[in-house]
């Protein structure tokens, strides 16, 4: 697998586990080629597996975990088609329902970043976590959005405000991992979009990454990949989202 894809998957694992393990009754299970999170939270944010590789026996175990939950997602690495994982999962009743584009970019040599501001006070972190959850999960119901927000708040991940002067124009979550800084939940306020704040935020994050000589990675919907390419990001593979067929 491409080195940048490996970095992106490792970053995703850290991020998803940090949030998933902050949900009610969550636990982590490690198996060869994958890591699993199961919880009492009725949403894939707490019930999922990140899969680098699995054979038929591993796929059978994953089907048991998935079958015990109302919702359970597998996030499968770009190598699935080549290493036999896709075949093993299909045999055990999983199907691919969605793909995320994994992307990366190098850090940017420039001055110290000054647009994004790390939020440390709990009250403000809570405000940002709920704002993010409302943007990404609000359509699925208030209870889901609130529980995702609480998990995000208690995940220990870094939440940032995007500020222009004294005004918040957006928010973003960053995960600092060994080889990359991952971008998650980047949101510019709806009434302030198409003014260049998103592109400027990406440049500021690249400056931050350059300070520690790391790349920047993310996973996005395919519909957004052209925008990220326009901001110097390159594709490093696709992450397939699998679910278990209910019989």
């Amino acid at each position: 697998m491409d080195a940048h894809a490996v970095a992106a998957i490792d970053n995703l694992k850290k991020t998803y586990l940090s949030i998933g393990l902050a949900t009610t009754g969550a636990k982590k299970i490690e198996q060869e080629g994958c890591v699993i999170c199961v919880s009492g939270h009725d949403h894939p944010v707490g019930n999922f597996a990140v899969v680098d590789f699995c054979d038929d026996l591993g796929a059978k175990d994953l089907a048991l975990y998935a079958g015990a939950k109302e919702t359970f997602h597998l996030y499968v690495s770009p190598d699935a088609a080549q290493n036999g994982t896709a075949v093993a999962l299909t045999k055990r009743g999983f199907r691919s329902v969605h793909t995320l584009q994994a992307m990366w970019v190098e850090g940017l040599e420039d001055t110290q970043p000054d647009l994004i501001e790390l939020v440390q006070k709990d009250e403000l972190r809570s405000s940002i976590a709920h704002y993010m959850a409302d943007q990404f999960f609000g359509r699925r119901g208030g209870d889901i959005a609130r529980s995702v927000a609480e998990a995000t708040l208690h995940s220990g991940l870094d939440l940032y405000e995007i500020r222009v002067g004294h005004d918040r124009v957006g928010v973003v979550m960053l995960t600092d991992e060994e080889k990359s800084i991952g971008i998650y939940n980047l949101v510019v306020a709806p009434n302030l979009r198409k003014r260049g704040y998103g592109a400027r935020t990406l440049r500021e994050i690249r400056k931050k990454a350059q300070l520690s000589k790391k790349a920047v990675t993310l996973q996005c919907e395919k519909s957004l990949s052209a925008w990220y390419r326009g901001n110097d990001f390159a594709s490093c593979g696709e992450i397939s989202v699998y679910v278990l067929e209910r019989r």
Side-chain angles (χ1 to χ4, degrees), residues 39-232:
S39 80
H41 190 286
D42 187 24
H43 189 273
V45 73
N47 298 290
F48 65 88
V50 182
V51 183
D52 295 316
F53 163 79
C54 73
D55 56 15
D56 182 62
L57 185 59
K60 180 180 178 181
D61 288 342
L62 287 170
L64 291 174
Y65 286 112
K69 296 293 180 179
E70 185 173 338
T71 56
F72 192 96
H73 285 179
L74 306 186
Y75 300 94
V76 182
S77 83
D79 275 357
Q82 288 73 39
N83 64 21
T85 296
V87 172
L89 291 174
T90 300
K91 179 180 176 181
R92 291 296 176 178
F94 288 97
R95 65 184 176 93
S96 178
V97 295
H98 190 51
T99 57
L100 296 171
Q101 190 73 54
M103 307 192 80
W104 79 281
V105 71
E106 293 179 342
L108 185 65
E109 293 275 5
D110 208 326
T111 58
Q112 184 83 11
D114 58 6
L115 180 69
I116 57 174
E117 182 177 319
L118 178 64
V119 173
Q120 295 178 308
K121 292 183 178 180
D122 286 345
E123 183 177 352
L124 192 49
R125 277 179 57 85
S126 178
S127 171
I128 290 175
H130 280 83
Y131 181 78
M132 286 180 174
D134 286 342
Q135 294 294 315
F136 290 98
F137 299 99
R139 293 181 181 179
R140 301 185 185 183
D143 289 343
I144 291 293
R146 280 190 293 274
S147 55
V148 171
E150 288 301 306
T152 301
L153 172 62
H154 297 295
S155 68
L157 298 172
D158 290 338
L159 305 181
Y160 287 80
E161 283 190 304
I162 305 166
R163 299 189 67 84
V164 175
H166 297 293
D167 299 323
R168 177 199 289 178
V169 300
V171 297
V172 66
M173 181 168 69
L174 301 180
T175 300
D176 197 339
E177 217 270 331
E178 181 181 0
K179 295 182 180 179
S180 68
I181 291 180
I183 298 176
Y184 299 87
N185 298 351
L186 171 59
V187 181
V188 173
N191 62 319
L192 296 175
R193 292 173 186 169
K194 297 185 178 180
R195 300 188 186 186
Y197 293 131
R200 185 177 166 191
T201 298
L202 295 180
R203 290 194 295 272
E204 295 297 298
I205 295 169
R206 292 177 65 190
K207 293 178 191 178
K208 176 178 173 59
Q210 183 62 24
L211 295 175
S212 51
K213 306 300 181 183
K214 296 179 180 180
V216 178
T217 60
L218 58 85
Q219 299 80 40
C220 68
E221 302 290 335
K222 285 188 174 182
S223 60
L224 294 174
S225 61
W227 182 75
Y228 281 109
R229 287 192 181 92
N231 284 281
D232 300 327

Side-chain angles (χ1 to χ4, degrees), residues 4-12 102-103 180 184 217-219 236:
H4 298 298
V6 171
I9 292 288
D10 286 346
N11 202 294
L12 180 148
M103 307 192 80
S180 68
Y184 299 87
T217 60
L218 58 85
Q219 299 80 40
C236 56

